[in-house]
Amino acid sequence: MSKVRVRFAPSPTGALHIGGVRTALYNYLFAKKNNGDFILRIEDTDKKREVQWAENYINNSLNWLGIEPDESPNKGGDFGPYKQSDRSEIYRKYALQLVEEGKAYYAFDTAEELDAMRERLKVAKASSLNYNAISRTQMKNSLTLSDDEVERRIKSGEPYVIRICIPLKEEIRFNDLIRGWVVVHSSTMDDKVLLKSDGLPTYHLANIVDDHLMKVTHVIRGEEWLPSAPLHVLLYQFLGWEDTMPSFAHLPLILKPDGNGKLSKRDAEKHGFPIFPLSWKEGENMVQGFKETGYYPDAFLNFLALLGWNPGTEQEIFSIDEMIDAFSIEKINKSGAKFDIQKAEWFNQQYLKNKPDEELVAELTEQASVNGHTIDQNKAVAIVYLMKDRVTFSWELYSNAKFFFHAPEDYDQSVTSSKWTPEAVNVLKAFSEKISSLKLDTPDEFKQVLLKVLDEKGVKMGKVMQALRVSLTGEGAGPDLMGSLPILGNKEVAERIQQAISTIKAA
Ligand code: GLU
């Protein structure tokens, strides 16, 4: 069997959507699993839709995720160039070969004539508005015009396209690795343009020619390309490349969280979650990426891999090598995968928990320093230890623990209004007085003092905890309270309680 070669072939028309990243990932996993090659090919034949920064965005995204192509525009390789605009000389010859063999034809119709054709077909209630075996007979093309006329038009510089000549009655069939047999009748197909009037190929022609010349063995791509696949199969037949035609695998869609339709940028905006790997600028607005939200690349890949692929075991956490090992196209689901941001967050949490403490301590120290605080290493270790299980992103180690760095400036009213009772204040006052003269180092030492005060005053712990928390942090929720006390230190705890007592009105 020939060496497995797959390609990721994005068009640089904007930021790479999460579905595109997943396509890249599955191609990569499949290549590595089979000791094959993973190619990045930039399909930039549609100059009208091209966006200048998109190619860089694609490269940066793959780079962030560690999905490294074996061959690409930047890296080169034996089958280059890998950017279609650098290959434009190649395609014309194949379009002309098809014309020569009667499998394609020149068409001279103007945009108005094409509109008029569709209008006529609509009025006649035709079953399709396609340019096809029936409608083409009414149009200006090399099948209806004489050879001399065609030559004259071409010589005089009249714009033309080359269209594929779809047979009238033929069944096109192929075996999709995910969907099984797909059968389409040629009468439903359109005589698609292969070469445009600007001399550049359309996606269809360039894609097939390149896959053939680059010896691609498997085409793994999004479901949105399934309707184009019969045309591609026909092109392989017409060009005489059927023997080496790649296998096709069309990946299921990534669906909205409620499962109703394809996940879109609008969903991301509506729910406030990222769907692009990296942030990008849209006009004045920044569209937030997974990276900038704080996702680890390996956690994001793990989440993405399982969005449509089911390894068939209970295992959820996969390193990239484990994914490669377990990956197979047969285990890709047929139906769409619902996007679930909670799951993405869960993966990030798991990866964060597994990071070495030193890495998190360094991160917290860095964040504190960016915010103008120097932090003692022992204190940083203690904060990381306390916060690690409570955060999804490493930046939360600082942002959810800000109270360690400065005393609250105000107090959450929804807490103080019900929990700041005379009873609680009485306990806190006594507690703060006691601890200010003691040397306390552990949560338990603090707890023992508090229990003693509670006992003396005859008050239950539950009546005081929220008030204690709000006095120290300004908020009603946060990390383990007893665990937080030694980090703040007895002096600071006592001072904050005093400050709260003099500021907060009793409930
Ligand atoms: N250029 C197409 C895209 O933008 C590639 C489709 C394919 O993989 O054949 O997705």
Side-chain angles (χ1 to χ4, degrees), residues 168-200:
L168 177 59
K169 281 186 191 161
E170 212 170 277
E171 250 176 17
I172 323 277
R173 46 174 69 230
F174 66 95
N175 195 2
D176 187 276
L177 296 176
I178 297 173
R179 283 144 213 282
W181 282 101
V182 176
V183 183
V184 171
H185 202 277
S186 66
S187 62
T188 63
M189 293 167 65
D190 193 38
D191 284 2
K192 283 268 188 270
V193 173
L194 300 177
L195 203 73
K196 295 180 282 186
S197 56
D198 60 5
L200 288 176

Side-chain angles (χ1 to χ4, degrees), residues 44-265:
D44 59 345
T45 54
D46 190 346
K47 290 292 161 196
K48 281 197 245 61
R49 294 184 55 223
E50 188 166 341
V51 169
Q52 273 319 310
W53 49 266
E55 188 179 340
N56 266 341
Y57 184 95
I58 293 163
N59 288 327
N60 294 342
S61 302
L62 296 184
N63 201 13
W64 175 56
L65 294 166
I67 303 181
E68 205 192 312
D70 299 299
E71 297 163 32
S72 73
N74 285 345
K75 194 162 180 193
D78 293 343
F79 299 82
Y82 292 91
K83 206 197 273 200
Q84 287 184 331
S85 56
D86 295 336
R87 302 171 63 81
S88 41
E89 297 306 307
I90 298 175
Y91 310 108
R92 192 177 174 79
K93 153 172 141 206
Y94 295 102
L96 293 178
Q97 175 192 321
L98 292 175
V99 173
E100 197 66 24
E101 293 171 0
K103 295 165 183 160
Y105 57 89
Y106 297 106
F108 301 93
D109 317 281
T110 62
E112 294 74 31
E113 286 164 343
L114 290 170
D115 284 346
M117 174 194 99
R118 284 186 211 104
E119 218 26 66
R120 277 200 307 275
L121 291 170
K122 250 191 230 164
V123 171
K125 297 207 168 29
S127 57
S128 105
L129 304 185
N130 285 342
Y131 201 117
N132 61 16
I134 297 170
S135 58
R136 72 167 84 105
T137 59
Q138 309 294 315
M139 304 302 287
K140 284 206 195 88
N141 53 50
S142 55
L143 303 174
T144 58
L145 303 169
S146 69
D147 291 353
D148 288 349
E149 176 63 8
V150 170
E151 209 181 315
R152 187 193 64 72
R153 285 176 184 247
I154 292 177
K155 278 218 174 101
S156 73
E158 191 172 314
Y160 66 85
V161 298
I162 293 181
R163 287 181 180 274
I164 186 168
C165 189
I166 301 276
L168 177 59
K169 281 186 191 161
E170 212 170 277
E171 250 176 17
I172 323 277
R173 46 174 69 230
F174 66 95
N175 195 2
D176 187 276
L177 296 176
I178 297 173
R179 283 144 213 282
W181 282 101
V182 176
V183 183
V184 171
H185 202 277
S186 66
S187 62
T188 63
M189 293 167 65
D190 193 38
D191 284 2
K192 283 268 188 270
V193 173
L194 300 177
L195 203 73
K196 295 180 282 186
S197 56
D198 60 5
L200 288 176
T202 55
Y203 153 72
H204 303 293
L205 179 66
N207 188 270
I208 282 2
V209 167
D210 285 350
D211 281 350
H212 174 73
L213 297 179
M214 293 182 181
K215 295 201 178 340
V216 167
T217 55
H218 297 76
V219 168
I220 305 170
R221 62 183 173 191
E223 184 179 281
E224 63 272 34
W225 299 104
L226 188 59
S228 302
L231 174 68
H232 297 174
V233 170
L234 202 59
L235 273 170
Y236 278 102
Q237 291 171 4
F238 279 8
L239 288 162
W241 299 336
E242 224 182 334
D243 290 354
T244 54
M245 184 172 85
S247 303
F248 289 98
H250 287 92
L251 305 173
L253 292 176
I254 299 182
L255 303 174
K256 295 179 192 300
D258 64 8
N260 282 325
K262 191 175 162 185
L263 181 72
S264 70
K265 186 161 151 277

Side-chain angles (χ1 to χ4, degrees), residues 345-398:
E345 290 174 355
W346 180 84
F347 273 108
N348 213 62
Q349 262 163 10
Q350 306 310 307
Y351 277 77
L352 189 145
K353 277 187 205 160
N354 286 330
K355 294 281 171 198
D357 283 352
E358 306 84 75
E359 191 181 321
L360 299 175
V361 166
E363 175 124 5
L364 172 65
T365 310
E366 164 74 16
Q367 286 164 17
S369 132
V370 168
N371 286 284
H373 303 285
T374 43
I375 179 170
D376 168 89
Q377 279 311 284
N378 290 336
K379 192 166 164 179
V381 170
I383 295 178
V384 163
Y385 184 73
L386 188 73
M387 302 294 294
K388 202 172 166 179
D389 287 345
R390 301 183 42 90
V391 295
T392 303
F393 305 111
S394 60
W395 53 265
E396 292 174 319
L397 291 172
Y398 174 74

Side-chain angles (χ1 to χ4, degrees), residues 262-465:
K262 191 175 162 185
L263 181 72
S264 70
K265 186 161 151 277
R266 197 122 34 93
D267 300 310
E269 283 157 7
K270 189 167 132 202
H271 299 287
F273 55 59
I275 62 162
F276 296 98
L278 309 177
S279 291
W280 55 284
K281 225 167 163 219
E282 188 184 45
E284 287 304 296
N285 297 331
M286 209 59 186
V287 181
Q288 183 85 347
F290 277 92
K291 177 176 182 226
E292 291 77 6
T293 304
Y295 283 88
Y296 292 117
D298 42 5
F300 176 60
L301 283 184
N302 197 155
F303 160 69
L304 206 54
L306 294 177
L307 206 57
W309 167 65
N310 181 352
T313 62
E314 293 295 300
Q315 186 178 348
E316 289 197 278
I317 303 293
F318 285 86
S319 68
I320 190 81
D321 287 338
E322 287 172 325
M323 278 186 231
I324 291 170
D325 209 40
F327 190 77
S328 74
I329 292 186
E330 291 72 42
K331 290 189 178 139
I332 293 175
N333 301 334
K334 282 194 184 52
S335 50
K338 272 192 222 166
F339 181 80
D340 178 359
I341 196 68
Q342 273 93 31
K343 197 72 197 181
E345 290 174 355
W346 180 84
F347 273 108
N348 213 62
Q349 262 163 10
Q350 306 310 307
Y351 277 77
L352 189 145
K353 277 187 205 160
N354 286 330
K355 294 281 171 198
D357 283 352
E358 306 84 75
E359 191 181 321
L360 299 175
V361 166
E363 175 124 5
L364 172 65
T365 310
E366 164 74 16
Q367 286 164 17
S369 132
V370 168
N371 286 284
H373 303 285
T374 43
I375 179 170
D376 168 89
Q377 279 311 284
N378 290 336
K379 192 166 164 179
V381 170
I383 295 178
V384 163
Y385 184 73
L386 188 73
M387 302 294 294
K388 202 172 166 179
D389 287 345
R390 301 183 42 90
V391 295
T392 303
F393 305 111
S394 60
W395 53 265
E396 292 174 319
L397 291 172
Y398 174 74
S399 71
N400 289 8
K402 278 193 192 141
F403 71 90
F404 286 117
F405 301 92
H406 37 74
E409 278 154 24
D410 41 42
Y411 303 92
D412 185 344
Q413 255 241 308
S414 65
V415 183
T416 56
S417 62
S418 61
K419 307 289 181 190
W420 197 255
T421 59
E423 193 180 35
V425 172
N426 192 13
V427 171
L428 291 184
K429 191 159 181 286
F431 177 60
S432 73
E433 279 158 11
K434 265 217 169 111
I435 59 170
S436 50
S437 60
L438 293 171
K439 188 174 158 359
L440 304 168
D441 292 321
T442 65
D444 196 52
E445 286 169 2
F446 277 93
K447 193 171 173 187
Q448 291 313 323
V449 178
L450 182 62
L451 286 175
K452 199 145 178 280
V453 177
L454 288 166
D455 194 40
E456 281 164 17
K457 306 272 179 197
V459 178
K460 290 228 163 60
M461 177 89 118
K463 298 274 181 204
V464 177
M465 290 307 271

